[in-house]
Amino acid sequence: LTHGAEPVDAVTAASVLLESNGPGSYASAFVSIYDPVTRELVYSRAGHPPPLVVVEDDVVHLDHPGGTLLGINVGSRSQDRVTLPDDFELVAFTDGLVEEPGLSYDAGVERLVDAVRALPPRVSGQRRAERLVAGVVGTAGRDDVCVVMVRPTPRGNGSAA
């Protein structure tokens, strides 16, 4: 995403590449750019669960229409923009984090949201993500579990969270 490219450009390019590999080459993706000055998040997703934006007691699902999996139907890609508040946490995840036999997808997402809210605010970085996964999945592990968590740093504090 250099030289002014947008998330939809990256998703489209990846989809074209996978489609050129022939049938059976596909993947899901969430691609975004966050501008901390304007607080604008520009994002595109393809066959990927909608990321969550957690703000105090509110949870927003970034569920713009998205598109099909990468490698399938290249022409139907889109992106969306949202202005985020000063204090939020973006949680992007694979379906393996919330899907479990005998548990509905919505119940899995609700369990994820509860686990995010239960995390101590002082825990950040990889430790935060590891604690979240352990809180949702436990130690038994599952296939296809990945989470990316982003919190902005307070203005005037040059460090990253």
Side-chain angles (χ1 to χ4, degrees), residues 19-150:
E19 193 169 42
S20 71
N21 288 336
S25 295
Y26 54 88
S28 67
F30 170 73
V31 179
S32 66
I33 299 172
Y34 176 68
D35 182 335
V37 174
T38 65
R39 298 188 333 265
E40 183 179 64
L41 180 76
V42 182
Y43 65 97
S44 182
R45 65 183 186 89
H48 202 276
L52 308 174
V53 176
V54 180
V55 181
E56 295 178 10
D57 292 332
D58 196 20
V59 176
V60 176
H61 299 254
L62 297 181
D63 59 356
H64 89 286
T68 57
L69 291 167
L70 298 175
I72 301 172
N73 194 15
V74 173
S76 65
R77 304 292 167 199
S78 65
Q79 68 182 19
D80 205 352
R81 297 172 186 274
V82 62
T83 300
L84 298 171
D86 285 332
D87 188 25
F88 69 90
E89 184 157 29
L90 174 72
V91 182
F93 55 94
T94 57
D95 58 358
L97 186 62
V98 295
E99 290 180 347
E100 179 179 314
L103 185 70
S104 74
Y105 178 83
D106 289 343
V109 171
E110 186 175 321
R111 183 171 62 180
L112 170 62
V113 169
D114 290 344
V116 170
R117 288 187 172 137
L119 290 171
R122 71 187 186 301
V123 177
S124 63
Q126 184 171 343
R127 280 190 19 195
R128 187 168 181 81
E130 288 170 349
R131 283 178 104 166
L132 177 67
V133 171
V136 174
V137 177
T139 56
R142 271 190 246 156
D143 185 34
D144 183 32
V145 173
C146 180
V147 64
V148 175
M149 304 171 74
V150 177

